[in-house]
Structure formats: structure tokens, C-alpha cells
Amino acid sequence: VFGGTDPVTGRPGYRNAFAVAFNKAKNLGAWAKVGAAPLTEACLNSEKARHEAGVDGDPLVAMLRNMQLHNDTCCLLLRRRGYSADLLSAKLDEREAQTNEVTEPNTKERVEALAKATTHGERFHVTGGSHHTSDAMFKSAEVEVKELEIGNMEKDKKSRIEFERIENAATSILENNNQNAAQLTAPQLKAVLLWYGIQPKDMGKNNAEMRNKFNSIKENNKGPLAYQKWTTEDEAALEGLKNKEILLADTALGRLKETRKREFHAAFDAMTPRDQEVYLENYKHINYGSIDHFVVIRDLVMV
């Protein structure tokens, strides 16, 4: 197979059959013939390939429908002459083209699934091949921004709740010991110093150093670290953000539209009264959404 010398007979000079059959030129030729490279799907043009009528772009749909028409005509003629034409009747099963989209259009599920998709294939699977300028595509781009904001709020919530716990522990210790550092144990001193913003590495190596640190804080009238408690209003804001549906106005496209509106108003306000009258008069004859409408808005904003 791979050429060379026959190990049994010792006869040399055999060609490498594998290299001949599967060289670069032969492989490229075979791939082009079936439509693999370049990707033309040429194999679908073969009469040996399975075809289903109703699929757009199928090269044999017209031929299959023509065959169905001839069969219907011939069977009708046979029936009128008294023959059992049903034995020769054939029925072409036309099927509608179906997509494999796993989400419904214009839903929160589709937006979230698109946000998680990282490849073109994954996006195609989610949408069934819908256009990349659909509303869901623009909304999905905002999911990461929303999740980042939620993550920041979650971190803030965790730190504020933790500091409230530290505050409650420290105030309880001080109230039970009449603010007397001499009565505090090492764990108690650490809890109090932490409330005042002293990090463990700066508290001291032993009880005496920690007591001196606390007494110094009291002598200098230094207060504990200030913070804002996590409130029910904060929790409601966090839950509201989690449950908030992303609208088109929240996307880059929506923000661009709002920017264009402001630019339009600024340009219109900068016109003279006469120019405004002329513009409004011309605008009456333009259909909203037409190409003329776009040109007018573009020219006005670019003034």
C-alpha cells in the first residue's frame, strides 16, 4: 500500500498507492465535487441524494412537483375511464422548512441564551438562524452589563452586612465590659479593633499591645469606621435589577436613537424661524420610515 519493496518476494519499485490516491490534489478535488471545500453543498444536486419537497432552495423541488402533477392528471384520466387508479396514485409529502431554534422570539429566555452563546454555532442553535440585528441580539449584549451591576451590588451587600455584624459584636462586648480594655480577652479586643478599622496585622502581637491600641483610640476620640447599613430599600433595588427586563431602549441601539433625537432637537432649535417653517412644510410630504425620511433626519443632524 505504501510502496517500496515487497517483504516476501523482495521485489522493489512499488509505488505508494496511499500517496497517489490521497494526495493534496485528489483530496481537494473530492471535497470540491461533494461541495465540502469550498462549501457549496454540491452533493445535494445528486439524484441519489434524498430530497423533501417544501424545503426552499432544494434543486429537485420543481421536478418532484411536476411529477406529482403528471401523476394526478394520469390517475384522473384512468378513473374517468373506470380503472382503479388509486393503485398507481402517488402523493408527494410536502413539508414546511423547520428551524431548530430552542427559544421563542422576543422572550427573556432567548436574550439570556444569546448572552451565554460564545460561538456562531451556538447563536444559530438558539435563534434558528435569525438575523444578527434582531432586537434580541442587541438586548443580549446588555446582559453582561446588567450582570456586572448585579455582581457589584451583591459585593456591596455582603460587605455592609458583614460590617453590621462586626459593629453589633463590638458594641455588645464594650457594653458588657464598661468600655474597660483591661477586662477584654484577646478575641474580644480583636473584634473591637476591627470595628475601628484596625486590620489584624496592625492590632499587635499580644494582649498588651492590643489594649494599648484600644486605649490610644479612646484617648484620641477616634470613632469607628462609618458605613451605610443594608436596608430593605437596597434589597428591593437589587431584586428589581435582577428581575428587570432589558428593553430595546436599554441597548446601544436604543441609546443611539435617543442621542439622535437630542441632536435633532438641538439642530432644529438652532434654525431660524423661517428655516423651521420651510423644514416643517417639506416634512409634511415625507412618509415616516422612508428613505427620504432618513435623508432629511441625517442632513438635519449633520448641520
Side-chain angles (χ1 to χ4, degrees):
V1 175
F2 297 103
T5 302
D6 188 331
V8 177
T9 64
R11 182 177 178 181
Y14 286 98
R15 297 177 62 191
N16 188 333
F18 184 86
V20 172
F22 296 99
N23 59 48
K24 182 178 179 180
K26 290 289 183 64
N27 285 338
L28 290 175
W31 293 343
K33 188 173 182 179
V34 299
L39 188 60
T40 61
E41 298 181 343
C43 58
L44 297 179
N45 294 324
S46 171
E47 295 182 358
K48 298 180 180 180
R50 177 182 174 181
H51 295 266
E52 293 181 351
V55 179
D56 292 338
D58 192 303
L60 294 185
V61 167
M63 184 189 74
L64 293 173
R65 288 175 177 164
N66 189 47
M67 290 172 62
Q68 177 69 70
L69 178 61
H70 283 298
N71 182 262
D72 291 342
T73 303
C74 292
C75 288
L76 177 61
L77 180 61
L78 289 172
R79 288 191 192 94
R80 289 182 175 178
R81 296 189 177 185
Y83 292 96
S84 299
D86 293 341
L87 298 175
L88 299 174
S89 178
K91 178 62 178 175
L92 177 62
D93 184 17
E94 296 217 24
R95 302 179 183 180
E96 294 183 0
Q98 297 180 351
T99 61
N100 294 321
E101 56 187 339
V102 296
T103 56
E104 292 291 332
N106 305 316
T107 60
K108 181 180 179 182
E109 289 74 17
R110 170 164 292 191
V111 172
E112 292 176 348
L114 281 172
K116 295 177 182 178
T118 57
T119 66
H120 178 73
E122 290 175 350
R123 295 188 185 97
F124 189 95
H125 182 59
V126 170
T127 65
S130 72
H131 204 281
H132 274 208
T133 56
S134 63
D135 290 358
M137 287 291 182
F138 287 104
K139 292 178 181 179
S140 67
E142 297 301 314
V143 171
E144 184 177 354
V145 177
K146 176 183 173 181
E147 290 180 347
L148 180 62
E149 187 176 353
I150 291 174
N152 291 335
M153 289 187 70
E154 292 280 12
K155 290 179 182 178
D156 184 44
K157 172 185 176 180
K158 183 178 180 180
S159 64
R160 286 159 67 177
I161 290 177
E162 173 62 14
F163 203 82
E164 184 177 2
R165 184 195 66 77
I166 293 172
E167 179 187 45
N168 292 336
T171 54
S172 176
I173 291 169
L174 293 175
E175 288 174 359
N176 293 333
N177 293 277
N178 299 317
Q179 304 278 338
N180 189 350
Q183 298 179 6
L184 302 181
T185 64
Q188 290 174 330
L189 283 167
K190 289 180 180 179
V192 172
L193 291 175
L194 193 61
W195 183 37
Y196 281 93
I198 308 299
Q199 296 302 311
K201 63 183 181 65
D202 301 321
M203 291 181 180
K205 300 178 180 179
N206 51 51
N207 286 8
E209 291 183 3
M210 286 192 287
R211 288 192 180 98
N212 289 336
K213 183 78 69 174
F214 177 62
N215 289 329
S216 175
I217 290 172
K218 290 177 61 178
E219 290 172 2
N220 294 319
N221 294 320
K222 180 182 177 182
L225 289 179
Y227 79 102
Q228 291 183 334
K229 290 186 177 181
W230 186 259
T231 65
T232 54
E233 289 79 9
D234 293 325
E235 186 65 26
L238 176 57
E239 290 302 316
L241 180 60
K242 289 180 178 179
N243 298 323
K244 179 185 177 183
E245 180 182 357
I246 297 177
L247 304 176
L248 194 59
D250 301 322
T251 67
L253 178 62
R255 291 189 290 271
L256 178 61
K257 286 183 176 180
E258 289 302 315
T259 300
R260 291 290 183 262
K261 286 181 183 179
R262 291 192 295 270
E263 291 174 347
F264 169 81
H265 291 150
F268 187 80
D269 292 341
M271 290 182 178
T272 64
R274 175 56 184 164
D275 288 339
Q276 290 178 350
E277 290 179 7
V278 172
Y279 171 77
L280 292 175
E281 184 62 30
N282 293 334
Y283 192 74
K284 291 179 181 178
H285 307 294
I286 298 175
N287 294 326
Y288 179 82
S290 66
I291 188 64
D292 291 332
H293 172 259
F294 168 76
V295 170
V296 169
I297 297 297
R298 181 202 62 187
D299 292 344
L300 180 60
V301 170
M302 296 297 291
V303 171

